[in-house]
């Protein structure tokens, strides 16, 4: 009897220990699940966006165009060159000086050429004397032949001598004209009005024939020489307008297509387009310019070019849907400007979709987002059309951990 009681007591103790262990394990499991849920709640992040971090996909009038770049060139430029060799004298103009067409800018030492002119003139005078001698001889021989004292052959000989003397005189006059022209070439004049851009020789230096002395540029007419690909060339027409940004100048400058080169460039197969630039005080030859050449207008659904992302096989944009980030695949189309902002036409995106701009960077799909607190109503009207609710400050997006709910993230 005592033995049975021992077995019963042992069984009861075992059952109590097992129940207690089960309760302990259940409580520990519940505690672990609660900790896991709390850790998961803490790991949830919320991206805070400002009003300037988003825009809306809207139908806009897209001004299509071609990007153009190149260096500015003066339409009219000229080099003053030495037409005769000699010592350079009287060169006083320097870079930046203004000159007028026909203005004397320098001289070549003229002594040698003055002597050559005198020599040619003396030779012409001597040839003129020979004409007089030959003329008198011819007149005498003609009188003698009429009286029968000389033959017809002797008269013909004197006629030939007279013709030779006259030809020698004409040649001497031509040589004198050449010498006179050579002497005049010692005076170097500006062929156009403009500014001196280069001074390539110094006074006292001996310059050769065709030696460059100075370069003159006329900045009243400046053009941009831009290369356009063969595929884009059919869209370019004479008279199309462009807006350029000149290196070192913040203000845009207007331009117009003046000419199109009929031939392609060797090697690149590109076509040169010449844009006449409106004259301003900031234009300088050689300055780099870039801009957009307007080729047409298109009304279509557009988003900023910066919002289009290409780090996936299919181009996409990041949109805000139900408080979370979603990646929407799109098909990009034509690019252009809308009120000075670079836009791209897209398809596959609903109108008025809230699109995240490129300044935010890449966000994981499904990331929770919220917008910064809005300003008072008096300032809310200044928010840009089509954007999300305005932010208190246009700061970059902030990422914070949520402790209890996403609305408390900061």
């Amino acid at each position: 009897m005592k033995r049975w009681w021992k077995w019963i007591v042992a069984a009861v103790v075992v059952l109590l220990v097992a129940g207690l262990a089960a309760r302990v394990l259940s409580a520990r499991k519940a505690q672990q699940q609660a900790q896991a849920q709390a850790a998961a709640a803490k790991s949830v992040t919320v991206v805070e966006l400002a009003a300037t971090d988003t825009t809306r996909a809207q139908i806009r009038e897209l001004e299509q165009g071609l990007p153009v770049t190149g260096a500015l060139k003066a339409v009219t430029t000229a080099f003053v060159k030495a037409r005769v060799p000699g010592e350079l004298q009287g060169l006083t103009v320097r870079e930046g000086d203004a000159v007028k067409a026909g203005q004397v800018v320098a001289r070549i030492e003229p002594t040698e050429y003055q002597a050559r002119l005198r020599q040619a003139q003396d030779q012409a005078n001597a040839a003129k004397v020979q004409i007089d001698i030959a003329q008198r001889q011819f007149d005498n021989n003609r009188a003698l032949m009429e009286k029968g004292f000389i033959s017809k052959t002797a008269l013909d000989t004197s006629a030939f001598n007279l013709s030779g003397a006259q030809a020698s005189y004409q040649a001497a006059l031509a040589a004198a004209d050449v010498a006179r022209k050579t002497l005049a070439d010692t005076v170097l004049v500006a062929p156009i009005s403009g500014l001196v851009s280069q001074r390539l020789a110094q006074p006292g230096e001996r310059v050769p024939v065709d030696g460059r002395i100075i370069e003159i540029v006329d900045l009243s007419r400046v053009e941009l020489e831009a290369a356009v690909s063969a595929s884009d060339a059919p869209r370019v027409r004479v008279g199309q307008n462009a807006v350029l940004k000149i290196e070192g100048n913040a203000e845009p400058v207007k331009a117009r297509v003046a000419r199109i080169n009929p031939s392609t460039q060797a090697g690149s197969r590109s076509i040169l387009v010449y844009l006449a630039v409106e004259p301003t005080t900031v234009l300088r030859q050689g300055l780099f310019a870039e801009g957009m050449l307007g080729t047409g207008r298109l009304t279509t659904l557009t988003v900023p070019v910066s919002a289009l992302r290409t780090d996936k096989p299919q181009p996409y944009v990041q949109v805000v849907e139900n408080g979370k980030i979603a990646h929407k695949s799109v098909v990009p189309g034509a690019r252009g400007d809308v009120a000075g902002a670079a836009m791209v036409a897209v398809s596959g995106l609903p109108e008025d979709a809230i699109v995240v701009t490129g300044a935010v960077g890449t966000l994981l799909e499904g990331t929770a987002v919220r917008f910064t607190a809005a300003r008072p109503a008096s300032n809310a009207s200044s928010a840009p059309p089509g954007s999300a609710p305005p932010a208190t400050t246009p700061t970059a997006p902030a990422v914070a951990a949520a402790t209890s709910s996403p609305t408390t993230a900061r």
Side-chain angles (χ1 to χ4, degrees):
M1 189 66 180
K2 292 181 179 180
R3 186 176 180 182
W4 284 104
W5 276 108
K6 290 181 180 180
W7 283 106
I8 293 174
V9 172
V12 172
V13 171
V14 170
L15 291 174
L16 292 174
V17 171
L20 182 61
R23 291 184 63 183
V24 171
L25 290 176
S26 178
R28 183 175 295 178
K29 184 175 181 181
Q31 184 180 6
Q32 290 177 349
Q33 289 178 349
Q35 291 176 350
Q37 291 177 356
K42 289 182 179 181
S43 64
V44 174
T45 58
V46 176
V47 175
E48 192 171 85
L49 300 178
T52 55
D53 295 327
T54 61
T55 186
R56 291 187 181 273
Q58 291 182 342
I59 295 178
R60 304 178 177 92
E61 186 179 43
L62 189 68
E63 184 177 353
Q64 295 179 281
L66 294 175
V68 290
T69 59
L72 298 181
K73 293 185 177 180
V75 176
T76 305
T77 64
F79 282 98
V80 176
K81 299 181 179 180
R83 297 184 178 181
V84 294
E87 179 182 335
L88 185 63
Q89 297 177 343
L91 178 61
T92 58
V93 295
R94 305 191 67 85
E95 291 85 352
D97 289 342
V99 295
K100 298 291 185 180
Q103 176 183 337
V104 176
V105 296
R107 299 177 184 273
I108 302 297
E109 209 285 319
T111 303
E112 177 183 351
Y113 303 102
Q114 290 172 345
R116 290 182 181 181
L117 176 59
R118 289 196 300 269
Q119 180 184 18
Q121 289 176 336
D122 290 342
Q123 289 175 348
N125 294 334
K128 183 65 170 62
V129 172
Q130 293 300 321
I131 290 179
D132 294 338
I133 296 174
Q135 184 67 50
R136 287 196 298 268
Q137 185 178 5
F138 174 76
D139 293 340
N140 291 336
N141 288 341
R142 183 170 55 184
L144 293 174
M145 190 198 70
E146 291 175 352
K147 295 180 180 180
F149 292 117
I150 61 174
S151 64
K152 180 69 168 55
T153 303
L155 180 63
D156 291 340
T157 300
S158 62
F160 292 150
N161 290 337
L162 177 59
S163 297
Q166 291 174 340
S168 297
Y169 177 62
Q170 295 299 324
L173 289 178
D177 291 339
V178 171
R180 189 174 294 104
K181 175 64 169 56
T182 302
L183 179 60
D185 287 341
T186 61
V187 180
L188 305 180
V189 299
I192 62 172
S193 299
L195 300 174
V196 177
S197 64
Q198 294 187 78
R199 181 164 127 161
L200 306 170
Q202 301 300 327
E205 179 182 346
R206 184 169 181 83
V207 293
V209 176
D210 287 337
R212 294 181 175 183
I213 309 301
I214 59 173
E215 181 186 15
I216 303 173
V217 297
D218 181 8
L219 296 180
S220 62
R221 295 176 59 201
V222 177
E223 64 184 13
L224 171 66
E225 183 182 87
V228 177
S229 64
S231 59
D232 292 330
R235 301 165 55 190
V236 182
R237 297 286 186 274
V238 173
Q240 289 176 336
N241 296 320
V243 178
L244 305 177
K245 183 177 180 181
I246 309 298
E247 179 182 8
N249 181 36
E251 296 296 327
V253 178
K254 295 182 180 180
R256 181 182 56 84
V257 177
R259 309 188 312 280
I260 301 175
N261 199 312
S263 302
T264 61
Q265 297 294 104
S268 65
R269 313 301 298 170
S270 59
I271 298 175
L272 292 180
V273 177
Y274 305 91
L275 286 78
V277 182
E278 286 189 355
T280 64
T281 57
V282 300
L283 297 183
R284 296 291 185 272
Q285 180 167 257
L287 285 179
F288 180 78
E290 60 181 350
M292 187 67 66
L293 173 62
T295 58
R297 293 180 178 273
L298 177 66
T299 302
T300 182
L301 185 69
T302 61
V303 297
V305 173
S306 62
L308 183 66
R309 308 197 65 84
T310 58
D311 52 335
K312 288 185 177 182
Q314 177 69 27
Y316 70 97
V317 294
Q318 301 179 124
V319 300
V320 179
E321 288 184 347
N322 301 322
K324 293 183 179 181
I325 293 294
H327 292 178
K328 295 292 185 180
S329 297
V330 296
V331 178
R335 298 192 179 194
D337 283 355
V338 176
M343 294 284 182
V344 58
V346 293
S347 58
L349 190 68
E351 188 178 357
D352 285 334
I354 301 176
V355 179
V356 180
T357 60
V360 176
T362 304
L363 300 175
L364 293 178
E365 196 167 9
T367 302
V369 298
R370 74 183 184 92
F371 294 97
T372 54
R375 291 185 177 184
S378 59
N379 295 331
S381 60
S382 61
S387 65
T392 54
T393 54
T395 57
V399 178
T403 57
S404 58
S405 65
T407 58
T408 61
R410 174 61 62 182

